[in-house]
Amino acid sequence: MGLTSNNIVIAAAVAALLLFAVTIWLWPRLAGRGVAPVLGRFGMLLGTQLTVFMAFGLFANQSFGFYGSWSDLFGTQNEPGVVVDHDTPGTRVRVTETRHLAMDGGSSPRIAGRVEKVKIQGPVSGIASPAYIYLPPEYFRPEYARRTFPAALVLTGYPGTTEALINGLKYPQHSHKLVKAGRMQPLVLVMMRPTVAPPRDTECVDVPGGPRTETFFTKDLPKAVADHYRVGKRARNWGVIGNSTGGYCALKMAMRHPGAFSAAAGLSPSYKAPIDATTGDLFGGSERLERENDLMWRLDHKPAPPVSLLVSSSEHGEQNYKDTVRFVNKVKRLNRRGEPTRISSIILGTGGHNFNTWKREVPAALEWLGGRLADR
């Protein structure tokens, strides 16, 4: 059973309840003072505690997407993130696995769409990274055979797992429902971690002497996906959305590269890159590079880009609330001066920095994003 499957969560909960009941039932028989009764009581209490802890841990992991698989949990994943051979021949998108989703009572691609696990090769950045591509049902229907689809890059937070975008935040499922309800056009979703050079948190920066993450996402990825799938190649065809670190990346890449993305949604984003043990020195000691990756500084000192931005926060529970209000007000002042950047927001009354909050925001953010992308 998979680490995030409902079956294993249910099995762990049932085991905890059964062991608790057995402990209550056998407790009178273990009430003596001898070694055996003491060891029996110790064993029953320890077993009950462990199964309860396991059940809650599995449920929390399924809800918040800390780990996507057993190999991820135990640290046995060894899939490389950076390719040093820049001249590797062959296609830039290689499909390694196909998944069929069950929606509307069926799993055929024309009903539910399809998810493909791919490896994307970036010839400019020298980076190769895995991703999941969601192709909507319309992609497989004859009447759409000549249609070019808009695409959205979907990013997790750090460290995050790509599987959590499917199993936790349910981006493909929400997209399917919105399209079926007539509230959004069909999108191709490119779902990834922002950490393309694990375990380092690059904050989507071209690190001096290190991974060129920003180049990978803004130059290599859109071209590779557009060459392999029927998606547009222009900025107006591409959007980007993410939560936490992925939200910062989304906003920053649209603001710094309006020729790559025309719309960006940041769910609980930060507005500048942190410098800590997970990031290392992202800017090579360059104050100029650090400023240029500070979104507040960009609004004050750089020309406003022609992009649409969405930010989210909550009045109680999110640490970025004051910064989000400040960011929105800065863009609104630019609007009043006739600058082309547009801003929207989702502000909840309460909600922490977690999957439960983002689950409340994803449908509205997806609908917003889909409404700002063109298919040609």
Side-chain angles (χ1 to χ4, degrees), residues 1-21 47-62 70:
M1 289 185 287
L3 180 62
T4 60
S5 70
N6 289 328
N7 290 339
I8 196 166
V9 175
I10 294 172
V14 170
L17 288 173
L18 288 176
L19 193 53
F20 178 78
T48 301
Q49 294 290 331
L50 288 176
T51 53
V52 169
F53 177 79
M54 182 181 299
F56 276 104
L58 288 168
F59 176 74
N61 182 70
Q62 185 190 56
W70 293 108

Coordinates of all heavy atoms in Angstrom, one line a residue, residues 1-21 47-62 70:
M1 N 0.8 -1.2 0.0 CA 0.0 0.0 0.0 C 0.9 1.2 0.0 O 1.9 1.3 0.7 CB -0.9 0.0 1.2 CG -2.0 -1.0 1.2 SD -3.2 -0.9 2.6 CE -2.1 -1.6 3.9
G2 N 0.5 2.2 -0.8 CA 1.2 3.5 -0.9 C 1.2 4.3 0.4 O 0.2 4.2 1.2
L3 N 2.2 5.1 0.7 CA 2.2 5.8 1.9 C 1.1 6.8 2.1 O 0.6 7.0 3.2 CB 3.6 6.6 2.0 CG 3.8 7.5 3.2 CD1 3.9 6.6 4.5 CD2 5.1 8.3 3.1
T4 N 0.6 7.3 1.0 CA -0.5 8.3 1.1 C -1.9 7.7 0.7 O -2.9 8.5 0.6 CB -0.2 9.5 0.1 OG1 -0.1 9.0 -1.2 CG2 1.1 10.2 0.5
S5 N -2.0 6.4 0.6 CA -3.3 5.8 0.2 C -4.2 5.8 1.4 O -3.9 5.8 2.6 CB -3.0 4.4 -0.3 OG -2.7 3.5 0.8
N6 N -5.5 5.8 1.1 CA -6.6 5.8 2.1 C -6.5 4.4 2.8 O -6.8 4.4 4.1 CB -8.0 6.0 1.5 CG -8.2 7.4 1.0 OD1 -7.7 8.3 1.6 ND2 -8.9 7.5 -0.1
N7 N -6.2 3.4 2.1 CA -6.2 2.0 2.7 C -5.2 1.9 3.9 O -5.6 1.3 5.0 CB -5.9 1.0 1.7 CG -7.0 0.8 0.7 OD1 -8.1 1.1 0.9 ND2 -6.6 0.2 -0.5
I8 N -4.0 2.5 3.8 CA -3.1 2.3 4.9 C -3.5 3.2 6.0 O -3.2 2.8 7.2 CB -1.7 2.7 4.4 CG1 -0.6 2.1 5.4 CG2 -1.5 4.1 4.1 CD1 0.8 2.1 4.9
V9 N -4.1 4.4 5.8 CA -4.5 5.2 6.9 C -5.7 4.5 7.7 O -5.7 4.5 8.9 CB -5.0 6.6 6.4 CG1 -5.6 7.4 7.5 CG2 -3.8 7.3 5.7
I10 N -6.6 3.9 6.9 CA -7.7 3.2 7.6 C -7.2 2.0 8.3 O -7.6 1.7 9.5 CB -8.7 2.7 6.5 CG1 -9.4 4.0 5.9 CG2 -9.7 1.8 7.1 CD1 -10.3 3.6 4.7
A11 N -6.2 1.2 7.7 CA -5.6 0.1 8.4 C -4.9 0.4 9.7 O -5.1 -0.3 10.7 CB -4.7 -0.7 7.5
A12 N -4.2 1.5 9.7 CA -3.5 2.0 10.9 C -4.5 2.4 12.0 O -4.3 2.1 13.2 CB -2.6 3.1 10.6
A13 N -5.6 3.1 11.6 CA -6.6 3.5 12.6 C -7.3 2.3 13.2 O -7.5 2.3 14.4 CB -7.6 4.4 11.9
V14 N -7.6 1.3 12.3 CA -8.3 0.1 12.8 C -7.4 -0.7 13.8 O -7.8 -1.1 14.8 CB -8.7 -0.8 11.7 CG1 -9.2 -2.2 12.2 CG2 -9.8 -0.1 10.9
A15 N -6.1 -0.8 13.4 CA -5.1 -1.5 14.3 C -5.0 -0.8 15.6 O -4.9 -1.4 16.7 CB -3.8 -1.5 13.6
A16 N -5.0 0.6 15.6 CA -4.9 1.3 16.9 C -6.1 1.1 17.8 O -6.0 0.9 19.0 CB -4.7 2.8 16.6
L17 N -7.3 1.1 17.2 CA -8.5 0.9 17.9 C -8.6 -0.6 18.5 O -9.0 -0.8 19.6 CB -9.7 1.1 17.0 CG -10.0 2.6 16.7 CD1 -11.2 2.7 15.6 CD2 -10.4 3.4 17.9
L18 N -8.2 -1.5 17.7 CA -8.2 -2.9 18.1 C -7.2 -3.1 19.3 O -7.6 -3.8 20.3 CB -7.9 -3.9 17.0 CG -9.0 -4.0 15.9 CD1 -8.5 -4.9 14.8 CD2 -10.2 -4.7 16.5
L19 N -6.0 -2.6 19.1 CA -5.0 -2.8 20.2 C -5.5 -2.1 21.5 O -5.2 -2.6 22.6 CB -3.7 -2.3 19.7 CG -2.5 -2.6 20.6 CD1 -2.4 -4.2 20.8 CD2 -1.2 -2.2 20.0
F20 N -6.1 -0.9 21.3 CA -6.6 -0.2 22.5 C -7.7 -1.1 23.2 O -7.7 -1.2 24.4 CB -7.2 1.1 22.1 CG -7.8 1.9 23.2 CD1 -7.0 2.6 24.1 CD2 -9.2 1.9 23.4 CE1 -7.6 3.3 25.2 CE2 -9.8 2.6 24.5 CZ -9.0 3.3 25.3
A21 N -8.6 -1.7 22.4 CA -9.6 -2.5 23.0 C -9.0 -3.8 23.7 O -9.5 -4.2 24.8 CB -10.6 -2.9 21.9
G47 N 2.7 -0.7 22.6 CA 2.1 -1.0 21.3 C 0.9 -0.1 21.0 O 0.7 0.3 19.8
T48 N 0.1 0.2 22.0 CA -1.0 1.1 21.8 C -0.6 2.5 21.4 O -1.1 3.1 20.5 CB -1.9 1.2 23.1 OG1 -2.4 -0.1 23.4 CG2 -3.1 2.1 22.8
Q49 N 0.4 3.0 22.1 CA 1.0 4.3 21.8 C 1.5 4.4 20.4 O 1.3 5.3 19.7 CB 2.1 4.7 22.8 CG 1.5 4.9 24.2 CD 0.7 6.2 24.4 OE1 0.9 7.1 23.7 NE2 -0.3 6.1 25.3
L50 N 2.3 3.4 20.0 CA 2.9 3.3 18.7 C 1.9 3.3 17.6 O 2.0 4.0 16.6 CB 3.9 2.2 18.6 CG 5.2 2.3 19.4 CD1 6.0 1.0 19.2 CD2 6.0 3.5 18.9
T51 N 0.8 2.5 17.7 CA -0.2 2.4 16.7 C -1.0 3.7 16.6 O -1.3 4.1 15.5 CB -1.1 1.2 16.9 OG1 -1.7 1.3 18.2 CG2 -0.4 -0.1 16.7
V52 N -1.3 4.3 17.7 CA -2.0 5.6 17.7 C -1.1 6.6 17.0 O -1.6 7.4 16.2 CB -2.4 6.0 19.1 CG1 -2.9 7.5 19.1 CG2 -3.5 5.1 19.7
F53 N 0.1 6.7 17.4 CA 1.1 7.6 16.8 C 1.2 7.4 15.3 O 1.2 8.3 14.5 CB 2.4 7.5 17.4 CG 3.5 8.4 16.8 CD1 3.5 9.7 17.1 CD2 4.4 7.9 15.9 CE1 4.5 10.6 16.6 CE2 5.4 8.7 15.4 CZ 5.4 10.0 15.7
M54 N 1.2 6.1 14.9 CA 1.4 5.8 13.5 C 0.1 6.2 12.7 O 0.2 6.8 11.6 CB 1.6 4.3 13.3 CG 1.8 3.9 11.8 SD 2.0 2.1 11.7 CE 3.5 1.9 12.6
A55 N -1.1 6.0 13.3 CA -2.3 6.4 12.6 C -2.4 7.9 12.4 O -2.7 8.4 11.3 CB -3.5 5.9 13.4
F56 N -2.1 8.6 13.5 CA -2.1 10.1 13.4 C -1.1 10.6 12.4 O -1.3 11.5 11.6 CB -2.0 10.8 14.7 CG -3.2 10.9 15.5 CD1 -3.5 10.0 16.6 CD2 -4.2 11.8 15.2 CE1 -4.7 10.1 17.3 CE2 -5.4 11.9 15.9 CZ -5.7 11.1 16.9
G57 N 0.1 10.0 12.4 CA 1.2 10.4 11.5 C 0.9 10.2 10.1 O 1.1 11.0 9.2
L58 N 0.3 9.0 9.8 CA -0.1 8.7 8.4 C -1.2 9.6 7.9 O -1.2 10.1 6.8 CB -0.6 7.3 8.3 CG 0.6 6.2 8.4 CD1 -0.1 4.8 8.6 CD2 1.4 6.2 7.1
F59 N -2.2 9.9 8.8 CA -3.2 10.9 8.4 C -2.7 12.3 8.2 O -3.1 12.9 7.2 CB -4.3 10.9 9.5 CG -5.4 11.9 9.3 CD1 -6.4 11.6 8.3 CD2 -5.4 13.1 10.0 CE1 -7.4 12.6 8.1 CE2 -6.5 14.0 9.7 CZ -7.4 13.7 8.8
A60 N -1.8 12.7 9.1 CA -1.2 14.1 8.9 C -0.4 14.1 7.6 O -0.5 15.1 6.9 CB -0.3 14.4 10.1
N61 N 0.3 13.1 7.3 CA 1.1 13.1 6.1 C 0.3 13.1 4.9 O 0.5 13.8 3.9 CB 2.0 11.8 6.1 CG 2.9 11.8 4.8 OD1 3.9 12.6 4.7 ND2 2.6 10.9 3.9
Q62 N -0.9 12.3 4.9 CA -1.8 12.3 3.8 C -2.4 13.7 3.6 O -2.6 14.2 2.4 CB -2.9 11.3 4.0 CG -3.8 11.1 2.8 CD -5.0 10.2 3.1 OE1 -5.7 10.5 4.0 NE2 -5.2 9.2 2.3
W70 N 7.1 5.7 0.3 CA 7.9 5.1 1.4 C 9.4 5.5 1.1 O 10.1 5.7 2.1 CB 7.7 3.6 1.4 CG 6.3 3.2 1.8 CD1 5.3 2.7 1.1 CD2 5.8 3.3 3.2 NE1 4.2 2.4 1.8 CE2 4.5 2.8 3.1 CE3 6.3 3.7 4.4 CZ2 3.7 2.7 4.2 CZ3 5.5 3.6 5.5 CH2 4.2 3.1 5.4

